Amino acid sequence: MISFRFVWFSLVFLTGTASATAMSDAIPNVYAQTRLSLNGKWRVIVDPYDTGFYNYRRIPYDQSDPIKGGYALDLKARTPSDLVEYNFSTSQTLLVPRDWNTQDDKLFYYEGSVWYQREFSYRPTSPDSRLFVYFGAANYRADVYLNGRRLGTHIGGFTPFNFEITGRLKDGPNSLVVRVNNTRLKEGVPTDSTDWWNYGGLTRDVFVVEMPATYVATHDIQLARGVPDRIAISIRLDGSAASSTPVTVSIPGLAFEARLTPGADGAARGEFPVAAGKLRRWSPESPKLYDVTIAAGDALVTERIGFRTVETRGPDILLNGEPVFLRGISIHEENPLRGGRAWSEEDARLLLGWARELGCNFARLAHYPHNEHMARVADELGIMLWEEIPVYWTIQWENPDTLANARRQLAELVHRDRNRASVIIWSVANETPVNDARTRFLGTLVADVRALDPTRLVSAAMEPHHEEHAPDTRIIDDPLGALTDIISFNQYIGWYDGLPEKCDRIRWDIRYDKPVFISEFGGGALEGFHAAPDVRYSEEFQEELYRRTLPMLERIPAWRGATPWILADFRSPRRPLPGIKDGWNRKGLIGESGAKKKAWFVLRDYYEKKAGE
Ligand code: GCU
């Protein structure tokens, strides 16, 4: 059907698509910036065939096409004869932030595109200000348009991103349109197979953020490594005056003030003494946070930062130079009481409050970057964190685009949380198959994270194996262990590997002289299902498994902590068992109703004893 439409498209296509703005580093410390919240009800169009993104020849529209520019144009029929086959203003609504799966039964399993649209007006407080539209995350791909013009695309479902919209706002309402597509992809990060629910949508906060003409794009303020009582500061300004605006960093609680002069690239760095013995280190027992301000011309950043050091020495993990045992728990980003992705400060206080109640000083935020509130609340509560990117299971190790995607997500995570004292471990992978391509891929990520942030430990959740001739000896010799600071691995003796009594005869052969960390262990139980301890899925089975696992781990001389799998039951499409799982992974110590299972008390008592040692 060669038609007027085809002619239009070829003309427009040849003139190139609308320009997209470069995606700058996400605005740091966004909750302290001048901003307009775009949270609330958005109009949405569910678009399983991507009718709003491709023409009938499956070629992406260019919004300049006045006839069929796709949903991004947010067209309205002007006359009764106009051909417009969508209408945001009369479409259904969904809440932002929230996943779409738990807002509409028709979307519970939905994987595909949903178009979000809302209008907003914004008048900058200063004519020199710069404006950005900021997203805490969108799972998995987001194509963003303002007033019919493409701003750009972000790929990765768990890290923040923004596009500059300075000078692009109209007086009066502006139309913001976002296509979010959560289709799982073999080349994706994560790949198309995971053990968690593929929640799609604008799952975190959305803001219009107003920044000064020259603003603080990156700040990193930490204790200098290897020398006492010095603070290392690294700042990068962005804007026309970036190389000529002096920077002052103040920490009133320490009577500390440092002045830095940026170079031609807008970057400034230095180490500065702090009054000896005046600085109270951050720790779980004393999570001291200092008010920090960064002033640079019209830019003023206010932060709350804790100062601590973390390192390893032989088999020990040292926090502020002292050995520490990580009494942890793994956490998925779900609020089981409400269902769906957790996203708010209240959700963070619920999940980390449970961890505190369990006696934890540590948590593993699995298997992807959680929302920013988690690290900020952990800073306050004194809970150390393991944060990770979703390089999970069978990633496409030989695909350069997949590697670039993983590297970008890692950089976006480090950029966002680099000032959070609670974060002590960056992890680059979970349960990945041992082969050369994978170890090269992960080696690149380890090198990246050491370059981005040499102040924290690097890890990955590896897996044990055994040899036929020694069935009860578990070996850890993954070549990745040569690159990481700690030897972390998931082990499921007594659940996937034999029954709980097997724990009693297991021996460990760990081929590295580094701290050993058990990044997962556990088993499933349906809350309220009680039976003899040999009845799988009973609370008693899970309780017995915990009882037998802990002494087995104590036989590892360099054992320095664990994050049992998992704090609370969470949804997974891999768990269909009717009457027991019904689409939930039941390894939680807390059930979907919030009830604590019997194994919770085994771990809580164990951590209480460990804390007293
Ligand atoms: C693996 C994996 C988890 C998964 C767990 C399980 O260790 O890392 O994501 O949920 O096993 O099987 O429950």
Side-chain angles (χ1 to χ4, degrees):
M1 175 170 63
I2 302 297
S3 71
F4 175 62
R5 176 195 299 163
F6 174 73
V7 170
W8 260 104
F9 183 78
S10 59
L11 279 178
V12 165
F13 187 71
L14 292 176
T15 57
T17 54
S19 67
T21 57
M23 188 166 54
S24 49
D25 275 344
I27 304 283
N29 200 26
V30 72
Y31 295 100
Q33 306 292 0
T34 303
R35 66 191 187 281
L36 167 70
S37 172
L38 298 185
N39 292 351
K41 283 187 178 179
W42 289 50
R43 293 285 177 180
V44 297
I45 297 173
V46 180
D47 187 7
Y49 285 23
D50 264 321
T51 310
F53 192 70
Y54 299 100
N55 70 7
Y56 75 126
R57 295 285 188 234
R58 203 76 183 156
I59 297 171
Y61 282 111
D62 178 327
Q63 292 69 37
S64 329
D65 174 342
I67 302 299
K68 286 278 293 173
Y71 296 169
L73 291 186
D74 184 15
L75 291 178
K76 301 283 188 297
R78 303 264 175 249
T79 72
S81 59
D82 272 2
L83 171 62
V84 179
E85 298 186 82
Y86 65 95
N87 183 343
F88 279 114
S89 60
T90 56
S91 296
Q92 72 175 96
T93 62
L94 287 179
L95 286 175
V96 170
R98 278 288 294 278
D99 58 84
W100 62 58
N101 312 72
T102 55
Q103 293 193 63
D104 179 336
D105 290 349
K106 297 192 299 300
L107 300 176
F108 186 59
Y109 288 101
Y110 181 68
E111 296 188 319
S113 290
V114 171
W115 292 81
Y116 289 78
Q117 185 273 344
R118 66 157 288 164
E119 293 187 341
F120 70 91
S121 297
Y122 188 81
R123 188 175 298 282
T125 57
S126 156
D128 304 328
S129 294
R130 293 169 66 183
L131 299 179
F132 297 80
V133 61
Y134 171 97
F135 298 84
N139 188 44
Y140 169 77
R141 167 181 167 139
D143 296 281
V144 184
Y145 308 85
L146 178 67
N147 298 326
R149 306 284 292 173
R150 183 174 129 76
L151 293 179
T153 296
H154 182 266
I155 290 175
F158 305 97
T159 45
F161 59 97
N162 43 232
F163 298 101
E164 185 156 6
I165 55 174
T166 309
R168 292 186 172 223
L169 293 195
K170 299 188 298 191
D171 268 343
N174 297 272
S175 172
L176 181 61
V177 176
V178 186
R179 167 189 180 253
V180 181
N181 185 295
N182 74 332
T183 304
R184 288 167 294 118
L185 304 166
K186 284 199 178 314
E187 69 275 17
V189 179
T191 182
D192 56 352
S193 172
T194 68
D195 188 23
W196 68 79
W197 206 267
N198 180 28
Y199 292 111
L202 292 177
T203 50
R204 295 183 191 158
D205 292 320
V206 181
F207 300 124
V208 173
V209 185
E210 180 177 352
M211 302 297 281
T214 295
Y215 67 92
V216 179
T218 305
H219 60 277
D220 185 354
I221 303 170
Q222 305 211 31
L223 276 177
R225 284 172 75 76
V227 289
D229 300 326
R230 292 180 72 78
I231 287 181
I233 297 174
S234 174
I235 305 268
R236 183 174 61 78
L237 301 181
D238 181 311
S240 54
S243 60
S244 58
T245 304
V247 180
T248 302
V249 175
S250 308
I251 312 175
L254 294 173
F256 173 95
E257 187 165 287
R259 295 177 187 284
L260 302 93
T261 304
D265 58 357
R269 56 179 58 83
E271 281 189 14
F272 303 85
V274 61
K278 196 171 174 61
L279 186 148
R280 256 175 61 202
R281 299 281 184 99
W282 183 94
S283 72
E285 296 72 28
S286 168
K288 172 66 178 170
L289 298 176
Y290 286 92
D291 290 328
V292 178
T293 61
I294 307 164
D298 296 335
L300 180 65
V301 175
T302 57
E303 262 277 26
R304 295 186 72 215
I305 296 178
F307 296 97
R308 53 104 190 95
T309 59
V310 62
E311 60 213 303
T312 62
R313 184 174 56 209
D316 288 328
I317 297 171
L318 306 181
L319 181 75
N320 298 320
E322 297 299 320
V324 65
F325 184 88
L326 304 180
R327 308 189 305 274
I329 191 72
S330 291
I331 301 177
H332 254 306
E333 191 183 40
E334 266 197 21
N335 175 339
L337 308 184
R338 186 188 65 228
R341 276 276 164 259
W343 58 272
S344 65
E345 183 177 336
E346 292 69 29
D347 289 336
R349 292 190 184 285
L350 173 75
L351 295 171
L352 293 172
W354 276 334
R356 273 292 284 272
E357 199 184 327
L358 185 58
C360 296
N361 63 359
F362 187 77
R364 176 187 178 190
L365 304 189
H367 280 297
Y368 37 74
H370 288 211
N371 65 79
E372 184 172 351
H373 297 293
M374 289 294 276
R376 289 184 177 278
V377 171
D379 270 8
E380 277 180 49
L381 297 181
I383 294 177
M384 296 175 281
L385 295 179
W386 157 313
E387 292 196 324
E388 65 187 79
I389 55 173
V391 175
Y392 180 97
W393 289 357
T394 51
I395 292 283
Q396 283 197 340
W397 309 112
E398 318 252 16
N399 183 328
D401 294 340
T402 304
L403 176 60
N405 182 348
R407 298 181 74 177
R408 191 178 52 249
Q409 292 190 41
L410 182 60
E412 290 171 346
L413 170 60
V414 173
H415 174 71
R416 188 194 72 183
D417 287 355
R418 66 185 317 129
N419 290 291
R420 306 279 70 82
S422 51
V423 180
I424 63 165
I425 294 174
W426 302 119
S427 180
V428 298
N430 180 73
E431 291 192 350
T432 53
V434 179
N435 61 55
D436 290 348
R438 162 270 202 179
T439 306
R440 271 197 308 277
F441 185 105
L442 298 184
T444 300
L445 296 182
V446 171
D448 279 0
V449 77
R450 291 206 187 285
L452 287 165
D453 174 17
T455 71
R456 291 178 172 90
L457 306 181
V458 180
S459 184
M462 296 174 266
E463 294 175 288
H465 67 95
H466 69 275
E467 283 151 10
E468 286 313 308
H469 70 275
D472 290 343
T473 297
R474 289 294 175 274
I475 300 166
I476 302 293
D477 61 359
D478 186 326
L480 187 56
L483 305 178
T484 60
D485 294 306
I486 58 178
I487 301 301
S488 306
F489 58 92
N490 301 344
Q491 68 81 26
Y492 281 93
I493 307 286
W495 181 260
Y496 293 121
D497 179 349
L499 295 173
E501 53 75 32
K502 184 170 184 175
C503 294
D504 301 350
R505 55 178 191 272
I506 289 294
R507 293 294 173 269
W508 299 96
D509 176 2
I510 295 169
R511 307 279 172 86
Y512 292 100
D513 174 26
K514 296 182 177 178
V516 172
F517 183 81
I518 310 299
S519 31
E520 287 181 37
F521 74 76
L526 176 64
E527 67 178 281
F529 171 39
H530 295 288
D534 63 347
V535 175
R536 189 143 331 226
Y537 302 122
S538 69
E539 287 199 32
E540 286 71 18
F541 186 106
Q542 187 189 46
E543 179 186 39
E544 181 65 6
L545 176 58
Y546 272 69
R547 279 214 180 100
R548 299 226 191 201
T549 297
L550 294 165
M552 171 183 68
L553 300 180
E554 287 180 332
R555 293 199 289 273
I556 302 173
W559 181 41
R560 294 297 180 271
T563 41
W565 194 257
I566 187 168
L567 177 67
D569 290 359
F570 61 95
R571 288 193 187 283
S572 168
R574 307 171 70 88
R575 312 291 176 168
L577 182 60
I580 296 286
K581 300 193 176 184
D582 297 313
W584 289 79
N585 182 311
R586 296 289 186 197
K587 296 188 182 69
L589 294 178
I590 293 177
E592 64 181 279
S593 72
K596 295 176 176 71
K597 303 172 191 174
K598 294 176 82 170
W600 161 282
F601 301 96
V602 174
L603 189 63
R604 185 207 56 189
D605 294 350
Y606 185 79
Y607 280 170
E608 204 168 325
K609 176 173 73 76
K610 285 304 278 186
E613 284 176 354

